[in-house]
Amino acid sequence: MHSQRSIISFMKGLRHIFFDLDRTLWDFDRNSRETLRELHDKHLVGLKGGHERFIKVYERVNEQYWGMYRSGRMEREVLRYKRFEETLFRLGMRQPEDSLVRMLGDEYLEICPRKEGCLPKTHEVLSVLQQRYVLHIITNGFSETQAIKLQHSGLHKYFVEVITSDATGTKKPDPMIFEHALEISGAKKEESLMIGDDWRADIEGAMGVGIRAIHLTPDFHARSAEVKVITELEHLLDHL
């Protein structure tokens, strides 16, 4: 009974739901790994360690460089190619050819966003929520890349506004991107909810401007009493 009252209280007055995209709805890890394997088999078949090693090293480098991009220490065009150059270097190519690096960077962004993989039950959950709430996206991804993902995965039809860090000029968890999202969607913070997988960017960012939040994470441990936790997207329907 207490749990039911807690859920009712949590969703009181809710009208607008803002979602993160990558790793919250669109299955970034699976789609990226499929793309990297295709690139390896097409261009790097003789590389030491095979595609599994290539993917493992790339993901480590990419995470490091995305951290630099989020903090403003790396430009997007540098990120686009540098992550592949550094990956090849760590895999034994002491001077990777610029033409190869650029081909990998360009083809990755050509192929990966067109992958259709979403997290389990994504379409079913959004179909239900769309009947009850106004849905939006807030993402730190690049505008054109995220637009392609939404279109090819069929997710575009659920969302009214798509707010990107690229277009806004600021990245989550900066309060400005959330305030901008509220402004262009016509939503008030007290009638809004943010759902995402990244604690700092999505959850702390939203709560910092007074937006309630639900954390999607395999770790069921709640970091804050103010935040609901779900381990799978379909569990949203238990709360909403």
Side-chain angles (χ1 to χ4, degrees), residues 154-218:
L155 293 175
H156 65 286
K157 61 181 175 285
Y158 302 110
F159 300 102
V160 176
E161 299 290 348
V162 177
I163 298 94
T164 68
S165 58
D166 204 17
T168 309
T170 183
K171 311 174 188 71
K172 296 179 293 185
D174 191 309
M176 289 180 63
I177 191 169
F178 292 98
E179 290 166 356
H180 178 72
L182 292 173
E183 181 180 353
I184 69 170
S185 64
K188 299 176 182 178
K189 61 184 179 182
E190 60 269 19
E191 60 184 22
S192 300
L193 169 70
M194 179 72 199
I195 299 167
D197 70 293
D198 189 298
W199 176 260
R200 182 168 181 270
D202 299 319
I203 308 308
E204 288 189 334
M207 292 176 63
V209 297
I211 298 174
R212 70 195 109 170
I214 291 180
H215 190 200
L216 174 61
T217 173

Side-chain angles (χ1 to χ4, degrees), residues 219-236:
D219 179 9
F220 191 73
H221 175 70
R223 301 195 194 188
S224 168
E226 300 176 53
V227 179
K228 300 293 182 184
V229 176
I230 56 172
T231 56
E232 296 179 23
L233 196 64
E234 63 181 314
H235 295 165
L236 263 183

Side-chain angles (χ1 to χ4, degrees), residues 75-86:
E75 297 296 323
R76 60 175 288 187
E77 285 304 310
V78 176
L79 169 67
R80 179 173 184 164
Y81 302 111
K82 186 68 176 177
R83 57 190 176 181
F84 284 101
E85 181 181 46
E86 179 65 21

Side-chain angles (χ1 to χ4, degrees), residues 10-17 132-133 190-193 212 240:
F10 183 78
M11 61 183 281
K12 185 178 179 181
L14 181 62
R15 293 188 60 232
H16 295 264
I17 303 179
R132 307 175 185 173
Y133 308 102
E190 60 269 19
E191 60 184 22
S192 300
L193 169 70
R212 70 195 109 170
L240 305 177

Side-chain angles (χ1 to χ4, degrees), residues 28-45:
F28 176 85
D29 294 323
R30 174 160 63 98
N31 293 329
S32 178
R33 286 166 186 166
E34 285 181 5
T35 303
L36 291 168
R37 180 165 186 167
E38 291 172 21
L39 293 177
H40 173 274
D41 292 349
K42 182 178 179 181
H43 301 296
L44 303 167
V45 71

